[in-house]
Amino acid sequence: MNREGGLEGADDKRAALPNVVQSAKAVRGRSCEARKLVVAKRVFLSQYCNSRKSDAQQWRRTPVCWPTVSRAGQLDLQVVVGSVAASIAGISGPVLAAWESCKLFFRSDPLKIVRAEAQYMYDEQGRAYLDCINNVSHVGHCQPDVVAAASRQLSVLNTNNRFLHDNLVLCAQRLTDLMPEPLSVCFFVNSGSEANDLALRLARAHTGHQDVITLDHAYHGHLSSLIEISPYKFNMIPGHQQADWVHVAPCPDVYRGKFRDCDHPGEDMGALYAEEVRALCDKASARPGGGVACYIAESLQSCGGQVIPPDNYLREVFRHVRAAGGVCIADEVQVGFGRVGSHYWAFQLQGEDVVPDIVTMGKPMGNGYPVAAVITTRAVADSFRDTGVEYFNTYGGNPVSCAVANAVMQVIEDQGLRGHAKEVGDHLLERCRALQQRHALIGDVRGVGLFVGIELVTDRAARTPATAEAQHVLSRMKDESILLSSDGPDRNVLKLKPPMVFSMQNVDTFVDVLDEVLAELEDLDGDLAEPVNGHHVKTNGTNGTNGVNGHRGKATA
């Protein structure tokens, strides 16, 4: 090993690296200032240090192209292993342990956020960041009416739901009033994971069956019962054996899924994808001791890459599942409470006649406070009651949680946030689609309301995912004080699900900065001698002045 932590035989190691790093040779030009070094580190290191596919031990041994400054002042690449790269970066001890085990945004350069208001978050230096990520703070960070409702109730009473309380009754009434018939029975829990776990119990009690049909790339929660039905998670577990009662249907992604719109022009894509579910219903019914308990899916798949199912999909799926004796669960944990703008619940986008048997909700319901719920039909609830096993949740439906949820729903109504989400979301989609015409990296723009995905590709015809470019975009947007995340099976989909108070001006700021960042990636002025996946990387050295703190003049909420 040499002085700077490189490995002997670097050329041999370099040849073994994936093409995206192998193709990146060196950043040259002016004086290789520190900012260029940071950008280069992010481009080349983030794929390995932040990879969900590598456990801690594997990561420590993974060869990494680490940018270093030569004596001539040029940026060169040195091959080191992950643990050495961490040491060079000054990351060690408890910090390294946390870095390897915890899921942080921007893990190579994490933020310490100390306060937030509306759609802005602030670090310990007082710098404001435009929050395009946070669908938890649904009606805005630290929304005054929500904070006041929690504080007021907490100062009077907080106990379990073994006692009568107006907050619980009023919250259940509001939720069921927002649902189509026959969804009329409410169970309170603490999180989306608890809600989906209870939904599985309800489905099995009602049908007497065990089998679950889920979607590829789905994520429904962190409990053991939900990891079993979440390919987004269980596909990362080495040696994981999918349970025989779990059946995975293709994600109804018409852009890069099993059936692409370009390959099936004029066809009913919803029915085409639903036929895959019908085949799984037949398989489950034929399994010894099997039978369909339920089909569960997010109404709009978030972790799978901001996927909007094609028209007629849920209608046909629900028909097939019910014909097989199963029930249909709509997971609204990430997309409910008016985020889609035109409707309160995302499943309603598929038509008034498309009504699930069970609906789960969480995250936005408490604006960051732990509260969630399951809404179902009287028939399903009665089947659950008849098992003789009562459902009791110590904190589910406590007075404070229900006070918060009631306040969130009131703010949505009082401030017209559904209509606002539609208006601002339409503007966001329009501007992003205009951006798509200027940047070949943008393969697809999709979404509804304030739920939008921008899919980056290196080849529009082949629809090849631009994973490295997407990760670079996230880092550069953060440099410009805009917090963005990516997801999808290839982590190449930029996803926006901001607080519902996100404004028209916020949209313009976001799109203007994204335009600049994509232009950097496509610039051919030679800052990179060789391209990253065919696209050159360059930074304009603005250090945030073109982002939120520059565009807005001062960082106030």
Side-chain angles (χ1 to χ4, degrees):
M1 186 172 287
N2 62 30
R3 280 186 312 174
E4 295 190 73
L7 299 178
E8 300 297 341
D11 289 340
D12 294 337
K13 293 289 185 181
R14 196 186 305 270
L17 294 172
N19 288 338
V20 64
V21 172
Q22 191 175 1
S23 65
K25 181 70 174 176
V27 176
R28 297 188 175 92
R30 298 177 289 249
S31 61
C32 288
E33 60 270 23
R35 179 168 172 74
K36 277 190 179 177
L37 183 61
V38 170
V39 170
K41 286 176 181 178
R42 288 172 180 163
V43 173
F44 307 129
L45 182 60
S46 64
Q47 301 164 79
Y48 303 99
C49 297
N50 300 335
S51 174
R52 289 196 299 254
K53 297 178 181 177
S54 298
D55 61 21
Q57 293 305 314
Q58 180 183 353
W59 177 80
R60 287 176 181 272
R61 299 189 299 268
T62 300
V64 172
C65 272
W66 184 258
T68 59
V69 180
S70 70
R71 290 182 179 178
Q74 291 187 328
L75 197 64
D76 201 358
L77 292 180
Q78 194 119 31
V79 179
V80 299
V81 292
S83 56
V84 174
S87 177
I88 294 171
I91 301 170
S92 60
V95 175
L96 178 57
W99 196 34
E100 292 173 342
S101 62
C102 297
K103 176 69 174 182
L104 295 174
F105 287 122
F106 317 110
R107 288 178 67 178
S108 61
D109 185 20
L111 287 172
K112 181 179 179 181
I113 297 296
V114 298
R115 70 182 182 93
E117 186 176 351
Q119 64 271 48
Y120 299 98
M121 305 181 82
Y122 299 82
D123 67 13
E124 76 270 33
Q125 305 298 324
R127 182 177 181 179
Y129 292 85
L130 178 61
D131 183 2
C132 301
I133 296 173
N134 224 308
N135 64 335
V136 176
S137 297
H138 189 61
V139 296
H141 292 279
C142 302
Q143 206 285 332
D145 295 338
V146 176
V147 172
S151 178
R152 188 166 53 246
Q153 183 57 52
L154 193 59
S155 70
V156 176
L157 172 71
N158 196 23
T159 184
N160 62 41
N161 60 15
R162 296 281 194 184
F163 305 95
L164 296 177
H165 198 280
D166 288 349
N167 287 355
L168 186 150
V169 176
L170 291 172
C171 191
Q173 186 66 58
R174 292 187 82 144
L175 287 171
T176 53
D177 285 349
L178 290 166
M179 290 286 170
E181 291 290 342
L183 294 164
S184 58
V185 180
C186 181
F187 294 85
F188 287 106
V189 293
N190 301 293
S191 69
S193 291
E194 284 192 2
N196 284 328
D197 180 74
L198 177 56
L200 293 183
R201 291 178 60 189
L202 292 170
R204 286 167 172 161
H206 185 64
T207 64
H209 297 152
Q210 175 79 1
D211 292 43
V212 176
I213 298 173
T214 186
L215 292 180
D216 202 6
H217 317 311
Y219 175 61
H220 294 291
H222 64 83
L223 301 182
S224 296
S225 61
L226 303 173
I227 296 296
E228 291 277 13
I229 64 168
S230 297
Y232 180 80
K233 290 295 185 182
F234 72 59
N235 282 338
M236 293 187 289
I237 303 174
H240 175 79
Q241 294 294 316
Q242 183 178 315
D244 59 1
W245 51 266
V246 175
H247 308 275
V248 180
C251 171
D253 176 4
V254 300
Y255 183 68
R256 288 187 59 235
K258 180 175 182 178
F259 304 115
R260 306 189 308 173
D261 50 8
C262 60
D263 299 326
H264 300 271
E267 292 189 45
D268 184 340
M269 300 297 288
L272 193 60
Y273 270 108
E275 185 62 20
E276 297 289 308
V277 175
R278 185 202 60 75
L280 291 176
C281 288
D282 292 344
K283 178 183 176 183
S285 299
R287 187 176 71 85
V292 179
C294 64
Y295 162 89
I296 182 170
E298 291 181 276
S299 302
L300 307 175
Q301 197 178 66
S302 179
C303 291
Q306 304 294 87
V307 176
I308 312 299
D311 292 344
N312 201 36
Y313 175 68
L314 286 183
R315 180 179 292 106
E316 289 298 302
V317 165
F318 286 9
R319 182 171 66 85
H320 296 320
V321 171
R322 286 166 177 157
V327 298
C328 303
I329 302 172
D331 180 343
E332 292 271 340
V333 170
Q334 298 219 49
V335 296
F337 291 90
R339 176 162 294 279
V340 300
S342 57
H343 299 83
Y344 213 89
W345 309 109
F347 69 80
Q348 293 172 317
L349 293 167
Q350 292 269 309
E352 292 183 2
D353 59 322
V354 177
V355 181
D357 302 290
I358 303 171
V359 180
T360 60
M361 59 198 69
K363 297 184 190 298
M365 183 174 171
N367 209 53
Y369 195 89
V371 59
V374 179
I375 313 292
T376 189
T377 65
R378 171 54 61 187
V380 171
D382 286 348
S383 295
F384 188 59
R385 179 201 60 204
D386 292 344
T387 64
V389 180
E390 70 166 11
Y391 182 76
F392 174 66
N393 188 311
T394 301
Y395 299 109
N398 70 71
V400 176
S401 292
C402 289
V404 169
N406 285 331
V408 168
M409 288 184 278
Q410 192 63 50
V411 169
I412 292 171
E413 181 180 339
D414 290 347
Q415 296 187 8
L417 291 183
R418 267 208 310 128
H420 179 79
K422 184 178 188 322
E423 181 182 8
V424 175
D426 287 348
H427 180 55
L428 175 59
L429 285 167
E430 181 182 0
R431 288 222 53 195
C432 287
R433 283 169 180 153
L435 208 60
Q436 183 181 12
Q437 302 305 310
R438 297 200 298 278
H439 297 288
L441 267 173
I442 299 179
D444 190 37
V445 174
R446 53 183 178 262
V448 58
L450 287 175
F451 180 89
V452 172
I454 303 169
E455 182 143 7
L456 303 188
V457 296
T458 58
D459 185 314
R460 282 188 173 179
R463 302 185 177 183
T464 308
T467 302
E469 288 82 353
Q471 301 314 299
H472 175 72
V473 167
L474 302 188
S475 293
R476 284 291 294 115
M477 295 296 280
K478 188 195 112 179
D479 291 342
E480 303 298 340
S481 305
I482 295 175
L483 304 184
L484 188 64
S485 65
S486 69
D487 230 318
D490 296 293
R491 296 190 301 138
N492 67 312
V493 181
L494 308 179
K495 65 177 188 177
L496 291 96
K497 44 188 180 64
M500 296 271 280
V501 291
F502 206 74
S503 70
M504 293 286 207
Q505 181 185 0
N506 296 149
V507 168
D508 292 336
T509 297
F510 166 78
V511 175
D512 289 346
V513 175
L514 180 60
D515 189 13
E516 295 172 3
V517 171
L518 292 176
E520 291 172 5
L521 280 167
E522 296 167 344
D523 198 325
L524 302 180
D525 73 356
D527 256 11
L528 273 188
E530 294 182 23
V532 177
N533 274 5
H535 294 277
H536 290 251
V537 180
K538 162 181 176 287
T539 173
N540 60 15
T542 59
N543 198 24
T545 57
N546 283 345
V548 172
N549 293 284
H551 276 289
R552 299 182 65 250
K554 61 178 182 177
T556 59

